Amino acid sequence: MLAILQETTDMKHLIKIFRRGIVLALLSVLAACGGGSGSEPAKKSLTVDIGNDFSVTQGLESVTVRSIASGGTPPYAYQWSIQPAEQEANANTLTEEDIELTLPTDLTLSETWLLSLQVTDTVGTAVKQQIQLTISVLNTPPVVSFELEDSDGVSASGEAFTLVSDWQDAEDGRAVASAVIKVKQLSGTVLNGLPDDGILFDLTDSAAVPVTSEVSAGQFVNLGSTIASIQLSFEVEDTGGLTTSKTKVLEILPVSQTAPIVNAGNNQVLYEGERIFLSANVDNADNPSYEWRQLAGPKTLEISRSSSTDAYTLAPTTNQIENYSFQFKATNRSSQLSDTDSVTVTVLPIPDFDGINDTGVSECADSRSNRVSCGLTQFPGQDGDFGRDIAATDSDFKKQGEGENAFDLSLIDANGEQLPWTQPTSDAIAAAVCIRDNVTGLIWEIKTTTGLRAHTHTYTWYNDVEMAGGDPGVQNSSSAACDAALASCDTQTYQAAVNQLQLCGGSDWRLPTVRELVSILNYSRTSDKLARAANADIIWPEHAKTNTAYWTSTPALFGVQNEDSPSTNRAWAVNLASGDEASYVKGSPLHLILVR
């Protein structure tokens, strides 16, 4: 019985020990699981994510870039930046979590933007991420057309031809980086006229299309014995760098198989008695022969040098307008092929009065002399070849009075009556008081040696009645010297005095214009250019002054300071000895001659 009790007591003790062990084990487990008083865990680092590099195609209105920030100590501050910097204007914000970017629509080349975002937390920790945004331009090559007009792909040597070019770009319309027509030779003897850089025409800045380009006659000349070929290329590059081209091949025949190309020149209009110069131009000449001949006209004209490119004949005398046609023909002896062209010449009659005097120049110049006979085929188109002076050499040229060259002058007495040109001419001139120019219809005074109208007197320019350029001029100047009967030595006072005299029956005397005064000058003379009688007798004796000019009524604009309200203190004058025209201050003491 005692043994049984002892066992029972021992068993209870063991159970207590076992329970205590379980409790301690549980306490240990709880302590290991953090249930005790251990240290705080570490915080997560600040990070930001705005995605990866991406691309869009032009035409999209906008894109949105989103960011995700975590870690650190919120809240966060955001700061976006964009390169190129000017593109920041396309962002709806630069300080928010997400941004929306408006994309450009006018790009011609693709662009890449660098997007950067910096995120800063409340304790100042900052992180940054960057990505690239590429905006691709949608580009298609330009569409072009290129035609070689009126051609079967074969051209005579030196023959002109026409190219028609057009283009359109889907993105840029007519605006392109370049549009050029190039040429290169493919075969045969090297042609004359090939451009060094290969560019035949640059059409880039052409205002309108299609563009017609003319290759002139004589540009591509084949001096070889076989056919030469060229390639014509029209190349268009758009602003995006894409290029489209079209080509044409043209064969150029050798000169030996080609007709010449001729141009007989422009149609002409001239007066009876003038020389008709016929001048032709020839391309593709191969040992050629030439011929000028008259095709039509009321009279048969003799052509000098008819077997050369430059020929001439004389316009016949006529009392009505006449038309003459002349043909030029060139033949290549090697091919016996020819080309012709014609020119029309209209011959006008010279009326008794046409209001225009000639210059008096009836001689011409060559490479050695300034005074040779006109009609020089190597030096055509000179003053002595045209006008009344050359026409006056015809025996049928009519005048009312007399005068050298084509000048037609009549002598007038003090009452306005016409005087005959008696012999000797000097006596007739001595009796005259005025001269009438039968070409212009103007009547001129002849100065005297003494008295009111002496040729030695000088005057200042003055006019307070008519247009004087805002400045009437100068009166009562001590620098001028005139007849004592005049109150002032000025142009207006002298004009009034002569009108009061009714010189040569007229009371409308005035200063001449520049054009009127030079109309009585013979520019073929080296000094004293006033026109003379038919036998060269002087009509206006001692009028031409070497050092002193004659006033005209024409104010001069030299020295004007205010263009809105000009005041001209100068007027034009003409030196009758040299023919020179110059402006003088109105207070200058110059000579004068009146006209009506």
Side-chain angles (χ1 to χ4, degrees), residues 296-328:
K299 303 179 181 72
T300 300
L301 306 182
E302 182 180 351
I303 302 175
S304 300
R305 295 176 54 86
S306 61
S307 59
S308 66
T309 55
D310 297 312
Y312 65 92
T313 186
L314 193 66
T317 302
T318 181
N319 56 10
Q320 62 184 0
I321 297 175
E322 295 179 347
N323 290 312
Y324 292 83
S325 178
F326 300 91
Q327 183 190 76
F328 177 75

PDB file of all heavy atoms in Angstrom, residues 296-328:
ATOM      1  N   ALA A 296       9.787  89.592-150.849  1.00  0.00           N
ATOM      2  CA  ALA A 296       8.620  90.405-151.215  1.00  0.00           C
ATOM      3  C   ALA A 296       8.932  91.874-151.009  1.00  0.00           C
ATOM      4  O   ALA A 296       9.870  92.241-150.291  1.00  0.00           O
ATOM      5  CB  ALA A 296       7.410  89.987-150.384  1.00  0.00           C
ATOM      6  N   GLY A 297       8.117  92.715-151.633  1.00  0.00           N
ATOM      7  CA  GLY A 297       8.269  94.161-151.516  1.00  0.00           C
ATOM      8  C   GLY A 297       7.911  94.845-152.813  1.00  0.00           C
ATOM      9  O   GLY A 297       8.087  94.267-153.898  1.00  0.00           O
ATOM     10  N   PRO A 298       7.419  96.081-152.745  1.00  0.00           N
ATOM     11  CA  PRO A 298       7.002  96.783-153.962  1.00  0.00           C
ATOM     12  C   PRO A 298       8.147  97.160-154.890  1.00  0.00           C
ATOM     13  O   PRO A 298       7.937  97.395-156.064  1.00  0.00           O
ATOM     14  CB  PRO A 298       6.292  98.027-153.422  1.00  0.00           C
ATOM     15  CG  PRO A 298       6.833  98.214-152.058  1.00  0.00           C
ATOM     16  CD  PRO A 298       7.126  96.859-151.526  1.00  0.00           C
ATOM     17  N   LYS A 299       9.365  97.213-154.385  1.00  0.00           N
ATOM     18  CA  LYS A 299      10.521  97.543-155.207  1.00  0.00           C
ATOM     19  C   LYS A 299      11.580  96.458-155.034  1.00  0.00           C
ATOM     20  O   LYS A 299      11.661  95.817-153.980  1.00  0.00           O
ATOM     21  CB  LYS A 299      11.103  98.906-154.825  1.00  0.00           C
ATOM     22  CG  LYS A 299      10.110 100.065-154.916  1.00  0.00           C
ATOM     23  CD  LYS A 299      10.792 101.362-154.499  1.00  0.00           C
ATOM     24  CE  LYS A 299       9.824 102.537-154.556  1.00  0.00           C
ATOM     25  NZ  LYS A 299       8.813 102.493-153.467  1.00  0.00           N
ATOM     26  N   THR A 300      12.396  96.261-156.038  1.00  0.00           N
ATOM     27  CA  THR A 300      13.491  95.301-155.949  1.00  0.00           C
ATOM     28  C   THR A 300      14.718  96.012-155.407  1.00  0.00           C
ATOM     29  O   THR A 300      15.163  97.031-155.963  1.00  0.00           O
ATOM     30  CB  THR A 300      13.810  94.695-157.326  1.00  0.00           C
ATOM     31  OG1 THR A 300      12.633  94.031-157.820  1.00  0.00           O
ATOM     32  CG2 THR A 300      14.953  93.709-157.224  1.00  0.00           C
ATOM     33  N   LEU A 301      15.263  95.507-154.322  1.00  0.00           N
ATOM     34  CA  LEU A 301      16.392  96.138-153.649  1.00  0.00           C
ATOM     35  C   LEU A 301      17.656  95.314-153.878  1.00  0.00           C
ATOM     36  O   LEU A 301      17.616  94.080-153.917  1.00  0.00           O
ATOM     37  CB  LEU A 301      16.117  96.262-152.152  1.00  0.00           C
ATOM     38  CG  LEU A 301      14.805  96.976-151.759  1.00  0.00           C
ATOM     39  CD1 LEU A 301      14.697  97.062-150.238  1.00  0.00           C
ATOM     40  CD2 LEU A 301      14.722  98.362-152.378  1.00  0.00           C
ATOM     41  N   GLU A 302      18.768  96.006-154.027  1.00  0.00           N
ATOM     42  CA  GLU A 302      20.059  95.339-154.213  1.00  0.00           C
ATOM     43  C   GLU A 302      20.683  95.059-152.850  1.00  0.00           C
ATOM     44  O   GLU A 302      20.870  95.971-152.045  1.00  0.00           O
ATOM     45  CB  GLU A 302      20.990  96.220-155.050  1.00  0.00           C
ATOM     46  CG  GLU A 302      22.336  95.567-155.318  1.00  0.00           C
ATOM     47  CD  GLU A 302      23.247  96.453-156.148  1.00  0.00           C
ATOM     48  OE1 GLU A 302      22.763  97.490-156.645  1.00  0.00           O
ATOM     49  OE2 GLU A 302      24.439  96.106-156.272  1.00  0.00           O
ATOM     50  N   ILE A 303      20.995  93.791-152.598  1.00  0.00           N
ATOM     51  CA  ILE A 303      21.538  93.383-151.304  1.00  0.00           C
ATOM     52  C   ILE A 303      23.050  93.228-151.431  1.00  0.00           C
ATOM     53  O   ILE A 303      23.536  92.446-152.264  1.00  0.00           O
ATOM     54  CB  ILE A 303      20.916  92.059-150.828  1.00  0.00           C
ATOM     55  CG1 ILE A 303      19.393  92.200-150.724  1.00  0.00           C
ATOM     56  CG2 ILE A 303      21.502  91.638-149.480  1.00  0.00           C
ATOM     57  CD1 ILE A 303      18.680  90.907-150.368  1.00  0.00           C
ATOM     58  N   SER A 304      23.793  93.963-150.625  1.00  0.00           N
ATOM     59  CA  SER A 304      25.248  93.843-150.589  1.00  0.00           C
ATOM     60  C   SER A 304      25.656  92.767-149.604  1.00  0.00           C
ATOM     61  O   SER A 304      25.021  92.590-148.565  1.00  0.00           O
ATOM     62  CB  SER A 304      25.879  95.180-150.190  1.00  0.00           C
ATOM     63  OG  SER A 304      25.539  96.195-151.113  1.00  0.00           O
ATOM     64  N   ARG A 305      26.714  92.014-149.932  1.00  0.00           N
ATOM     65  CA  ARG A 305      27.243  90.937-149.097  1.00  0.00           C
ATOM     66  C   ARG A 305      26.171  89.875-148.858  1.00  0.00           C
ATOM     67  O   ARG A 305      26.001  89.358-147.760  1.00  0.00           O
ATOM     68  CB  ARG A 305      27.767  91.484-147.770  1.00  0.00           C
ATOM     69  CG  ARG A 305      28.959  92.409-147.912  1.00  0.00           C
ATOM     70  CD  ARG A 305      29.365  93.002-146.564  1.00  0.00           C
ATOM     71  NE  ARG A 305      29.591  91.977-145.576  1.00  0.00           N
ATOM     72  CZ  ARG A 305      30.748  91.326-145.390  1.00  0.00           C
ATOM     73  NH1 ARG A 305      31.784  91.613-146.152  1.00  0.00           N
ATOM     74  NH2 ARG A 305      30.868  90.399-144.460  1.00  0.00           N
ATOM     75  N   SER A 306      25.422  89.528-149.897  1.00  0.00           N
ATOM     76  CA  SER A 306      24.299  88.599-149.757  1.00  0.00           C
ATOM     77  C   SER A 306      24.737  87.176-149.440  1.00  0.00           C
ATOM     78  O   SER A 306      23.919  86.365-149.013  1.00  0.00           O
ATOM     79  CB  SER A 306      23.459  88.606-151.036  1.00  0.00           C
ATOM     80  OG  SER A 306      24.250  88.182-152.143  1.00  0.00           O
ATOM     81  N   SER A 307      26.016  86.839-149.639  1.00  0.00           N
ATOM     82  CA  SER A 307      26.486  85.478-149.363  1.00  0.00           C
ATOM     83  C   SER A 307      27.176  85.377-148.003  1.00  0.00           C
ATOM     84  O   SER A 307      27.973  84.471-147.769  1.00  0.00           O
ATOM     85  CB  SER A 307      27.439  85.008-150.464  1.00  0.00           C
ATOM     86  OG  SER A 307      28.552  85.877-150.558  1.00  0.00           O
ATOM     87  N   SER A 308      26.881  86.290-147.101  1.00  0.00           N
ATOM     88  CA  SER A 308      27.422  86.242-145.739  1.00  0.00           C
ATOM     89  C   SER A 308      26.276  86.364-144.745  1.00  0.00           C
ATOM     90  O   SER A 308      25.136  86.640-145.125  1.00  0.00           O
ATOM     91  CB  SER A 308      28.437  87.370-145.513  1.00  0.00           C
ATOM     92  OG  SER A 308      27.778  88.629-145.562  1.00  0.00           O
ATOM     93  N   THR A 309      26.588  86.153-143.480  1.00  0.00           N
ATOM     94  CA  THR A 309      25.528  86.275-142.474  1.00  0.00           C
ATOM     95  C   THR A 309      25.093  87.721-142.295  1.00  0.00           C
ATOM     96  O   THR A 309      23.956  87.991-141.902  1.00  0.00           O
ATOM     97  CB  THR A 309      26.000  85.717-141.117  1.00  0.00           C
ATOM     98  OG1 THR A 309      27.209  86.379-140.734  1.00  0.00           O
ATOM     99  CG2 THR A 309      26.228  84.219-141.203  1.00  0.00           C
ATOM    100  N   ASP A 310      25.990  88.672-142.532  1.00  0.00           N
ATOM    101  CA  ASP A 310      25.691  90.092-142.347  1.00  0.00           C
ATOM    102  C   ASP A 310      25.674  90.788-143.696  1.00  0.00           C
ATOM    103  O   ASP A 310      26.712  90.911-144.363  1.00  0.00           O
ATOM    104  CB  ASP A 310      26.729  90.738-141.431  1.00  0.00           C
ATOM    105  CG  ASP A 310      26.721  90.141-140.041  1.00  0.00           C
ATOM    106  OD1 ASP A 310      25.621  90.002-139.475  1.00  0.00           O
ATOM    107  OD2 ASP A 310      27.796  89.799-139.523  1.00  0.00           O
ATOM    108  N   ALA A 311      24.497  91.238-144.090  1.00  0.00           N
ATOM    109  CA  ALA A 311      24.327  91.922-145.367  1.00  0.00           C
ATOM    110  C   ALA A 311      23.606  93.241-145.125  1.00  0.00           C
ATOM    111  O   ALA A 311      23.153  93.528-144.015  1.00  0.00           O
ATOM    112  CB  ALA A 311      23.533  91.047-146.331  1.00  0.00           C
ATOM    113  N   TYR A 312      23.485  94.060-146.158  1.00  0.00           N
ATOM    114  CA  TYR A 312      22.756  95.317-145.995  1.00  0.00           C
ATOM    115  C   TYR A 312      22.231  95.796-147.337  1.00  0.00           C
ATOM    116  O   TYR A 312      22.711  95.394-148.415  1.00  0.00           O
ATOM    117  CB  TYR A 312      23.635  96.390-145.349  1.00  0.00           C
ATOM    118  CG  TYR A 312      24.827  96.822-146.172  1.00  0.00           C
ATOM    119  CD1 TYR A 312      24.747  97.895-147.051  1.00  0.00           C
ATOM    120  CD2 TYR A 312      26.044  96.145-146.066  1.00  0.00           C
ATOM    121  CE1 TYR A 312      25.850  98.285-147.805  1.00  0.00           C
ATOM    122  CE2 TYR A 312      27.150  96.534-146.813  1.00  0.00           C
ATOM    123  CZ  TYR A 312      27.043  97.605-147.682  1.00  0.00           C
ATOM    124  OH  TYR A 312      28.120  97.991-148.432  1.00  0.00           O
ATOM    125  N   THR A 313      21.240  96.665-147.263  1.00  0.00           N
ATOM    126  CA  THR A 313      20.694  97.337-148.425  1.00  0.00           C
ATOM    127  C   THR A 313      20.173  98.693-147.974  1.00  0.00           C
ATOM    128  O   THR A 313      20.306  99.043-146.787  1.00  0.00           O
ATOM    129  CB  THR A 313      19.576  96.502-149.079  1.00  0.00           C
ATOM    130  OG1 THR A 313      19.165  97.133-150.294  1.00  0.00           O
ATOM    131  CG2 THR A 313      18.371  96.355-148.157  1.00  0.00           C
ATOM    132  N   LEU A 314      19.597  99.452-148.887  1.00  0.00           N
ATOM    133  CA  LEU A 314      19.151 100.811-148.570  1.00  0.00           C
ATOM    134  C   LEU A 314      17.634 100.879-148.664  1.00  0.00           C
ATOM    135  O   LEU A 314      17.039 100.374-149.630  1.00  0.00           O
ATOM    136  CB  LEU A 314      19.778 101.816-149.545  1.00  0.00           C
ATOM    137  CG  LEU A 314      19.653 103.300-149.173  1.00  0.00           C
ATOM    138  CD1 LEU A 314      20.451 103.597-147.909  1.00  0.00           C
ATOM    139  CD2 LEU A 314      20.120 104.174-150.324  1.00  0.00           C
ATOM    140  N   ALA A 315      17.002 101.471-147.633  1.00  0.00           N
ATOM    141  CA  ALA A 315      15.555 101.639-147.666  1.00  0.00           C
ATOM    142  C   ALA A 315      15.199 102.619-148.778  1.00  0.00           C
ATOM    143  O   ALA A 315      15.723 103.729-148.820  1.00  0.00           O
ATOM    144  CB  ALA A 315      15.056 102.149-146.321  1.00  0.00           C
ATOM    145  N   PRO A 316      14.321 102.252-149.689  1.00  0.00           N
ATOM    146  CA  PRO A 316      14.022 103.106-150.838  1.00  0.00           C
ATOM    147  C   PRO A 316      13.174 104.318-150.452  1.00  0.00           C
ATOM    148  O   PRO A 316      12.511 104.337-149.419  1.00  0.00           O
ATOM    149  CB  PRO A 316      13.245 102.170-151.764  1.00  0.00           C
ATOM    150  CG  PRO A 316      12.555 101.232-150.828  1.00  0.00           C
ATOM    151  CD  PRO A 316      13.522 101.012-149.700  1.00  0.00           C
ATOM    152  N   THR A 317      13.207 105.317-151.307  1.00  0.00           N
ATOM    153  CA  THR A 317      12.341 106.488-151.146  1.00  0.00           C
ATOM    154  C   THR A 317      10.888 106.077-151.329  1.00  0.00           C
ATOM    155  O   THR A 317      10.550 105.284-152.202  1.00  0.00           O
ATOM    156  CB  THR A 317      12.706 107.564-152.166  1.00  0.00           C
ATOM    157  OG1 THR A 317      14.065 107.916-151.987  1.00  0.00           O
ATOM    158  CG2 THR A 317      11.828 108.791-151.996  1.00  0.00           C
ATOM    159  N   THR A 318      10.019 106.600-150.479  1.00  0.00           N
ATOM    160  CA  THR A 318       8.616 106.226-150.562  1.00  0.00           C
ATOM    161  C   THR A 318       7.751 107.339-149.994  1.00  0.00           C
ATOM    162  O   THR A 318       8.205 108.146-149.179  1.00  0.00           O
ATOM    163  CB  THR A 318       8.351 104.927-149.785  1.00  0.00           C
ATOM    164  OG1 THR A 318       6.987 104.572-149.907  1.00  0.00           O
ATOM    165  CG2 THR A 318       8.687 105.090-148.304  1.00  0.00           C
ATOM    166  N   ASN A 319       6.530 107.398-150.452  1.00  0.00           N
ATOM    167  CA  ASN A 319       5.566 108.356-149.902  1.00  0.00           C
ATOM    168  C   ASN A 319       4.475 107.653-149.100  1.00  0.00           C
ATOM    169  O   ASN A 319       3.472 108.252-148.738  1.00  0.00           O
ATOM    170  CB  ASN A 319       4.953 109.205-151.012  1.00  0.00           C
ATOM    171  CG  ASN A 319       4.294 108.361-152.096  1.00  0.00           C
ATOM    172  OD1 ASN A 319       4.143 107.154-151.933  1.00  0.00           O
ATOM    173  ND2 ASN A 319       3.917 108.995-153.203  1.00  0.00           N
ATOM    174  N   GLN A 320       4.668 106.374-148.841  1.00  0.00           N
ATOM    175  CA  GLN A 320       3.734 105.602-148.037  1.00  0.00           C
ATOM    176  C   GLN A 320       4.487 104.469-147.337  1.00  0.00           C
ATOM    177  O   GLN A 320       5.627 104.160-147.677  1.00  0.00           O
ATOM    178  CB  GLN A 320       2.622 105.025-148.899  1.00  0.00           C
ATOM    179  CG  GLN A 320       3.113 104.052-149.967  1.00  0.00           C
ATOM    180  CD  GLN A 320       2.001 103.553-150.869  1.00  0.00           C
ATOM    181  OE1 GLN A 320       0.847 103.934-150.698  1.00  0.00           O
ATOM    182  NE2 GLN A 320       2.347 102.706-151.813  1.00  0.00           N
ATOM    183  N   ILE A 321       3.867 103.854-146.378  1.00  0.00           N
ATOM    184  CA  ILE A 321       4.497 102.761-145.646  1.00  0.00           C
ATOM    185  C   ILE A 321       4.621 101.545-146.569  1.00  0.00           C
ATOM    186  O   ILE A 321       3.663 101.154-147.232  1.00  0.00           O
ATOM    187  CB  ILE A 321       3.673 102.397-144.401  1.00  0.00           C
ATOM    188  CG1 ILE A 321       3.625 103.572-143.423  1.00  0.00           C
ATOM    189  CG2 ILE A 321       4.245 101.165-143.704  1.00  0.00           C
ATOM    190  CD1 ILE A 321       2.735 103.343-142.225  1.00  0.00           C
ATOM    191  N   GLU A 322       5.823 100.968-146.619  1.00  0.00           N
ATOM    192  CA  GLU A 322       6.076  99.803-147.450  1.00  0.00           C
ATOM    193  C   GLU A 322       6.701  98.686-146.621  1.00  0.00           C
ATOM    194  O   GLU A 322       7.526  98.957-145.727  1.00  0.00           O
ATOM    195  CB  GLU A 322       7.000 100.158-148.625  1.00  0.00           C
ATOM    196  CG  GLU A 322       6.391 101.148-149.601  1.00  0.00           C
ATOM    197  CD  GLU A 322       7.346 101.495-150.733  1.00  0.00           C
ATOM    198  OE1 GLU A 322       8.549 101.169-150.620  1.00  0.00           O
ATOM    199  OE2 GLU A 322       6.891 102.099-151.721  1.00  0.00           O
ATOM    200  N   ASN A 323       6.351  97.446-146.925  1.00  0.00           N
ATOM    201  CA  ASN A 323       6.900  96.286-146.231  1.00  0.00           C
ATOM    202  C   ASN A 323       7.733  95.439-147.191  1.00  0.00           C
ATOM    203  O   ASN A 323       7.312  95.175-148.325  1.00  0.00           O
ATOM    204  CB  ASN A 323       5.784  95.422-145.637  1.00  0.00           C
ATOM    205  CG  ASN A 323       5.083  96.093-144.476  1.00  0.00           C
ATOM    206  OD1 ASN A 323       5.733  96.616-143.573  1.00  0.00           O
ATOM    207  ND2 ASN A 323       3.764  96.105-144.486  1.00  0.00           N
ATOM    208  N   TYR A 324       8.908  95.033-146.700  1.00  0.00           N
ATOM    209  CA  TYR A 324       9.815  94.197-147.482  1.00  0.00           C
ATOM    210  C   TYR A 324      10.157  92.964-146.655  1.00  0.00           C
ATOM    211  O   TYR A 324      10.346  93.044-145.439  1.00  0.00           O
ATOM    212  CB  TYR A 324      11.093  94.960-147.840  1.00  0.00           C
ATOM    213  CG  TYR A 324      10.845  96.087-148.819  1.00  0.00           C
ATOM    214  CD1 TYR A 324      10.401  97.322-148.381  1.00  0.00           C
ATOM    215  CD2 TYR A 324      11.044  95.892-150.180  1.00  0.00           C
ATOM    216  CE1 TYR A 324      10.157  98.351-149.272  1.00  0.00           C
ATOM    217  CE2 TYR A 324      10.810  96.926-151.086  1.00  0.00           C
ATOM    218  CZ  TYR A 324      10.359  98.151-150.626  1.00  0.00           C
ATOM    219  OH  TYR A 324      10.115  99.156-151.516  1.00  0.00           O
ATOM    220  N   SER A 325      10.235  91.814-147.342  1.00  0.00           N
ATOM    221  CA  SER A 325      10.569  90.561-146.670  1.00  0.00           C
ATOM    222  C   SER A 325      11.864  90.011-147.253  1.00  0.00           C
ATOM    223  O   SER A 325      12.043  89.985-148.484  1.00  0.00           O
ATOM    224  CB  SER A 325       9.428  89.548-146.845  1.00  0.00           C
ATOM    225  OG  SER A 325       9.753  88.313-146.236  1.00  0.00           O
ATOM    226  N   PHE A 326      12.755  89.583-146.339  1.00  0.00           N
ATOM    227  CA  PHE A 326      14.048  89.037-146.751  1.00  0.00           C
ATOM    228  C   PHE A 326      14.222  87.663-146.107  1.00  0.00           C
ATOM    229  O   PHE A 326      13.887  87.462-144.940  1.00  0.00           O
ATOM    230  CB  PHE A 326      15.196  89.956-146.328  1.00  0.00           C
ATOM    231  CG  PHE A 326      15.101  91.328-146.909  1.00  0.00           C
ATOM    232  CD1 PHE A 326      14.437  92.344-146.228  1.00  0.00           C
ATOM    233  CD2 PHE A 326      15.668  91.617-148.141  1.00  0.00           C
ATOM    234  CE1 PHE A 326      14.351  93.617-146.755  1.00  0.00           C
ATOM    235  CE2 PHE A 326      15.581  92.894-148.681  1.00  0.00           C
ATOM    236  CZ  PHE A 326      14.918  93.896-147.990  1.00  0.00           C
ATOM    237  N   GLN A 327      14.783  86.733-146.879  1.00  0.00           N
ATOM    238  CA  GLN A 327      15.000  85.376-146.386  1.00  0.00           C
ATOM    239  C   GLN A 327      16.496  85.078-146.311  1.00  0.00           C
ATOM    240  O   GLN A 327      17.259  85.431-147.209  1.00  0.00           O
ATOM    241  CB  GLN A 327      14.349  84.351-147.316  1.00  0.00           C
ATOM    242  CG  GLN A 327      14.487  82.904-146.823  1.00  0.00           C
ATOM    243  CD  GLN A 327      14.040  81.907-147.869  1.00  0.00           C
ATOM    244  OE1 GLN A 327      14.733  81.642-148.839  1.00  0.00           O
ATOM    245  NE2 GLN A 327      12.842  81.362-147.678  1.00  0.00           N
ATOM    246  N   PHE A 328      16.865  84.417-145.209  1.00  0.00           N
ATOM    247  CA  PHE A 328      18.250  83.953-145.051  1.00  0.00           C
ATOM    248  C   PHE A 328      18.253  82.428-145.093  1.00  0.00           C
ATOM    249  O   PHE A 328      17.432  81.775-144.435  1.00  0.00           O
ATOM    250  CB  PHE A 328      18.858  84.436-143.733  1.00  0.00           C
ATOM    251  CG  PHE A 328      20.244  83.937-143.491  1.00  0.00           C
ATOM    252  CD1 PHE A 328      21.319  84.466-144.177  1.00  0.00           C
ATOM    253  CD2 PHE A 328      20.480  82.908-142.578  1.00  0.00           C
ATOM    254  CE1 PHE A 328      22.604  84.000-143.965  1.00  0.00           C
ATOM    255  CE2 PHE A 328      21.756  82.440-142.359  1.00  0.00           C
ATOM    256  CZ  PHE A 328      22.827  82.987-143.058  1.00  0.00           C
TER     257      PHE A 328
END
